[in-house]
Amino acid sequence: MSKTKVLIAGAGPTGLTLALWLTRLGVPVRIFDKATGPGETSRDGARSTVRHGLNIGFPGGTYEQAFYVADVKGTGNVTRNGMDTTISSYGFAIVMPVRQSGSLRLIGIVPKAHEADETISFEAIRADIERETGVTVNEVNWFSTYRVHHRVAERFRAGRVFLVGDAGHIHSPAGGQGMNTGMGDAVNLAWKLGAVAQGRADPRLLDSYEPERIAFAHKLIESTDKVFRFITNRSRLVGLFRRYVMPKVMNIGLHTSFGSRAFFGVISQTAIQYRAGPISSGVAGKVSGGDRLPYVTGAGGDNFEPLRSLDWQVHVYGEVNCDFRAMLAPTGVAVHAFAWTDAAVKAGLQRDAAYLVRPDGHVALASPVQEAAAFQRYLAGLAIRPRTAERAPYRVPGTMHSLA
């Protein structure tokens, strides 16, 4: 414990992602969890001892619909290596395999006739479940019902304590974004926490965690709320649209290049941007500070390969000015040059522009010209020192002490 820099409460996907990133960055961590092993059941995390202990409000609400979740042994025409979603006039249901061989997880809405029951049993709604999922259930390993919340914590930070994952936000399962969002929180916090813990950045860098992630949490809650209310609406007209029209619209949209890219960007969360964040600055081409670095492939590989270093770096697509490279050398930030190609054009990058990329792959500073002083000021403003930089201090002419 004497070497522990970070204490992580909860060994779920979010906590483990945070621990893995910090460990790779060389920051000692300790995780504690009340469970003795991996969870075998769904847990959509409304209670947080840490949040309650800090007296942080958790405003929002609870949907009126009750949900069921069951792990069963059964047969049916289901995808064994993926997820099946059934949309009907009744609502929706999800079928997906779980880690036990031959076991399926069924998730859906409790029929209206039973949602007010004091105790809801599997047998009471078996017929509805089998009809909506297309699964004939032979054995029930686990069954539970629950209600879905949509809430965002009033703040994600209290001094040296940070809320990540379900402790900070919970929402409907529409879009399957819960786990992705928690992992996104963890990645955003990890590189900042690691840099500050190791003395490679001013503690003010941590101030950017809350505004970046809480803004996305609110946006996510709003979007999933609209989708959820639509797919659970029991209006006959909406139900008919959902059953007969919606699948056709989705099928057409997902089979166009624009539609498939947009859908992938939302579901994978690669479309997340922090343009309004406190450590985002500049624009070059169609890429702004705060945007995720566009993925570009070329004859020599792709521009994401250098990101494996989990370190600050500068990208130039075109020719690197020798003076620009030389002036950045004392900062320890690596400068990567990539050939100017049609792929770079399509990605929205600007030829010979310079992009300062954060350890999480988002652009921190986008500059249409290779002006070393702007990059020096940015780095000095937060006392950023890359992991590969020498420990000797360096002086920057005209150093700014604030990004404001």
Side-chain angles (χ1 to χ4, degrees):
M1 284 292 287
S2 61
K3 294 183 179 180
T4 299
K5 292 281 189 178
V6 179
L7 193 62
I8 301 174
T14 298
L16 291 177
T17 298
L18 181 60
L20 288 169
W21 261 72
L22 288 170
T23 299
R24 186 173 172 189
L25 291 170
V27 179
V29 303
R30 186 177 183 89
I31 311 175
F32 63 93
D33 193 296
K34 63 181 180 181
T36 58
E40 295 289 340
T41 60
S42 297
R43 295 183 295 175
D44 285 342
R47 300 177 181 86
S48 167
T49 301
V50 173
R51 189 185 63 245
H52 281 291
L54 294 171
N55 197 31
I56 295 178
F58 205 35
T62 305
Y63 293 107
E64 62 179 15
Q65 296 89 349
F67 275 73
Y68 67 80
V69 58
D71 282 354
V72 306
K73 293 289 181 66
T75 59
N77 186 23
V78 299
T79 303
R80 290 290 170 177
N81 295 314
M83 181 181 79
D84 293 325
T85 301
T86 301
I87 301 174
S88 67
S89 55
Y90 162 73
F92 80 101
I94 296 173
V95 181
M96 54 186 171
V98 289
R99 56 178 59 95
Q100 300 96 341
S101 177
S103 183
L104 296 170
R105 178 158 298 166
L106 312 179
I107 302 174
I109 305 174
V110 171
K112 189 174 183 178
H114 294 279
E115 64 182 6
D117 293 356
E118 184 174 346
T119 301
I120 303 173
S121 68
F122 178 85
E123 290 303 325
I125 60 175
R126 172 192 282 270
D128 298 275
I129 292 176
E130 292 186 334
R131 182 184 68 250
E132 294 302 322
T133 63
V135 175
T136 299
V137 178
N138 301 320
E139 179 183 338
V140 180
N141 298 324
W142 174 70
F143 174 78
S144 181
T145 59
Y146 61 98
R147 292 189 182 274
V148 175
H149 303 265
H150 49 103
R151 303 176 184 276
V152 178
E154 291 177 338
R155 61 186 192 277
F156 282 9
R157 181 184 183 184
R160 294 188 298 169
V161 181
F162 299 85
L163 299 183
V164 293
D166 289 351
H169 47 77
I170 53 175
H171 52 85
S172 83
Q177 298 293 286
M179 186 169 69
N180 285 353
T181 305
M183 289 178 169
D185 293 342
V187 171
N188 187 286
L189 177 61
W191 68 268
K192 298 172 182 177
L193 198 57
V196 172
Q198 295 176 333
R200 295 184 288 103
D202 188 282
R204 289 184 298 110
L205 177 64
L206 291 170
D207 294 339
S208 65
Y209 168 70
E210 180 180 293
E212 287 189 344
R213 294 307 296 178
I214 203 169
F216 175 68
H218 281 292
K219 183 178 180 180
L220 180 66
I221 294 294
E222 180 181 354
S223 60
T224 56
D225 179 66
K226 291 178 180 177
V227 174
F228 183 78
R229 291 186 185 279
F230 174 75
I231 62 178
T232 59
N233 190 301
R234 287 191 167 121
S235 161
R236 179 173 175 77
L237 183 61
V238 173
L240 291 173
F241 176 86
R242 186 170 57 223
R243 182 172 186 176
Y244 296 106
V245 181
M246 185 176 169
K248 295 180 180 179
V249 172
M250 290 183 65
N251 185 55
I252 293 173
L254 293 177
H255 281 81
T256 65
S257 58
F258 175 80
S260 59
R261 286 198 303 271
F263 182 77
F264 176 80
V266 171
I267 297 300
S268 66
Q269 297 194 2
T270 56
I272 291 176
Q273 49 85 8
Y274 304 125
R275 292 185 178 183
I279 60 172
S280 300
S281 180
V283 58
K286 296 181 180 179
V287 178
S288 299
D291 288 352
R292 185 174 183 266
L293 179 71
Y295 178 69
V296 178
T297 59
D302 63 74
N303 65 334
F304 273 27
E305 182 61 30
L307 300 182
R308 292 178 178 273
S309 67
L310 304 186
D311 209 351
W312 291 85
Q313 53 196 268
V314 171
H315 284 205
V316 174
Y317 299 82
E319 299 293 329
V320 179
N321 182 287
C322 293
D323 290 339
F324 177 73
R325 187 188 292 274
M327 291 184 70
L328 284 185
T331 69
V333 176
V335 178
H336 298 282
F338 302 89
W340 182 249
T341 62
D342 289 341
V345 176
K346 293 180 180 179
L349 297 161
Q350 181 174 321
R351 186 168 191 170
D352 296 339
Y355 302 89
L356 178 62
V357 185
R358 308 176 349 175
D360 62 355
H362 282 262
V363 175
L365 170 64
S367 174
V369 295
Q370 296 178 36
E371 182 186 359
F375 288 77
Q376 292 170 328
R377 288 195 297 269
Y378 183 100
L379 295 168
L382 287 171
I384 297 294
R385 294 179 60 79
R387 299 171 64 206
T388 56
E390 294 182 358
R391 291 299 179 183
Y394 61 89
R395 296 178 61 84
V396 180
T399 293
M400 295 177 64
H401 297 288
S402 171
L403 295 180

